[in-house]
Amino acid sequence: MFQATNSRMPASAASGTAAAPVTYAAYQGETVRLTGGREVPAKAFGPVRSDDALRRILPESRPHVLEVDLRALGVTDFGAHRQFGHGLPVVPAPLELFWNDTALPLARYPNTGAIAIGAIVEPGSMPRNGDYSNRGGRFKYTDPRHARWAGVADVWLQGYFNHGFADDKIRVAAIDPVKQEVTLASPHMYALGSGQNYNQYVALNLLEELDEPGEWYVDAAAGRLYIWPPDEVAAARVTVSVVEQALVALDHVSFVTLRGLTIEEGRGLGLSIEGGSDN
């Protein structure tokens, strides 16, 4: 197996012609991966040692959760969660975890279904109507579980914060368990609304909610990955994504064919084609 990280095909080397096209292909019977990921060996998994992490993990989950020191594997850039959704640019993903070529779910609450948005206290600014004052909205939460997340950094909510066609992922600025309110760090495109059956969200990126097989979480400050393995670690191929830019870029080239290649595990585009023809 050939494995290359962040393979890019420069225009000077990649372009072909109608009479002399260029093909990049896997050799017959061989597997070729162009990957933006880094493998995590089975020996890197071990018990959770941090007292702070153990305090945050639910007691019933602690016997199942393992940790990996990502920095010891040379992974030091964990990416960043970014807002995305209706009317917003496409952004690179943060570090993701793959188990036997399947992306595993980030620790979330609830595991199924969603949380209804409560009464709107402050709708926040509305970029759709030209209000770019960047004021995040505030609303009453309807699930007492939120109190457990008060003071936790980098919590994100993903859902339908006003219209049913406009989903969004927005960072939490603060949770007030006394007032039972959530303040968002940035606005939704249409400001906040509630009262419809689709005005719901899920909470993401919470070590406090790592509570079923397959879920995981990265503590960027500590450089540690926490996971409840979905099956035996020793029998699995485990990788984390590390590359944000396109893994293969065909920039203003022509008559290029890619065949039999596995392009995988990047944080951004697997394949980017700009300009050119007959590719």
Side-chain angles (χ1 to χ4, degrees):
M1 181 185 74
F2 171 77
Q3 182 166 300
T5 299
N6 192 23
S7 297
R8 297 179 64 84
M9 299 180 181
S12 59
S15 195
T17 67
V22 175
T23 298
Y24 294 88
Y27 190 76
Q28 185 176 1
E30 296 291 333
T31 297
V32 177
R33 297 178 185 268
L34 305 181
T35 178
R38 179 73 59 85
E39 290 200 11
V40 181
K43 65 181 180 180
F45 292 84
V48 178
R49 294 184 172 87
S50 165
D51 289 339
D52 178 66
L54 288 170
R55 176 186 57 80
R56 294 176 61 187
I57 297 171
L58 291 165
E60 57 269 32
S61 299
R62 289 171 192 162
H64 307 284
V65 176
L66 301 178
E67 74 171 26
V68 174
D69 183 351
L70 291 175
R71 290 197 176 103
L73 299 177
V75 179
T76 58
D77 179 358
F78 310 109
H81 288 269
R82 299 172 173 92
Q83 184 172 353
F84 66 83
H86 181 80
L88 298 176
V90 175
V91 294
L95 178 145
E96 292 181 287
L97 178 64
F98 299 86
W99 192 279
N100 292 332
D101 302 325
T102 297
L104 293 184
L106 190 62
R108 56 172 275 172
Y109 179 86
N111 292 326
T112 58
I115 308 165
I117 298 175
I120 305 303
V121 179
E122 163 57 52
S125 53
M126 188 185 298
R128 180 64 178 82
N129 286 355
D131 183 350
Y132 301 111
S133 57
N134 199 37
R135 293 179 289 109
R138 189 164 77 254
F139 63 89
K140 294 285 187 181
Y141 62 72
T142 60
D143 189 323
R145 189 79 161 203
H146 289 68
R148 178 173 168 80
W149 314 329
V152 177
D154 211 27
V155 180
W156 291 75
L157 306 184
Q158 186 167 355
Y160 295 88
F161 295 95
N162 195 319
H163 300 299
F165 58 81
D167 65 325
D168 211 339
K169 176 186 172 186
I170 308 176
R171 185 172 64 83
V172 171
I175 295 175
D176 187 332
V178 176
K179 295 182 178 179
Q180 299 186 353
E181 292 178 356
V182 174
T183 301
L184 299 179
S186 55
H188 176 56
M189 181 65 70
Y190 292 91
L192 299 185
S194 66
Q196 302 297 326
N197 60 4
Y198 50 74
N199 291 145
Q200 299 179 334
Y201 61 88
V202 297
L204 302 169
N205 199 41
L206 283 156
L207 181 57
E208 290 74 7
E209 301 301 337
L210 204 168
D211 61 355
E212 68 174 11
E215 285 195 322
W216 61 278
Y217 170 84
V218 168
D219 183 335
R224 307 239 167 207
L225 165 72
Y226 298 94
I227 178 175
W228 183 331
D231 51 43
E232 288 296 323
V233 173
R237 176 178 179 262
V238 185
T239 54
V240 292
S241 61
V242 296
V243 179
E244 285 196 356
Q245 60 264 55
L247 301 183
V248 178
L250 303 180
D251 297 333
H252 303 285
V253 300
S254 300
F255 297 98
V256 173
T257 296
L258 307 179
R259 181 181 300 121
L261 309 177
T262 298
I263 303 173
E264 64 179 8
E265 297 169 354
R267 297 180 187 174
L269 295 175
L271 172 64
S272 169
I273 300 179
E274 294 286 345
S277 66
D278 297 279
N279 293 312

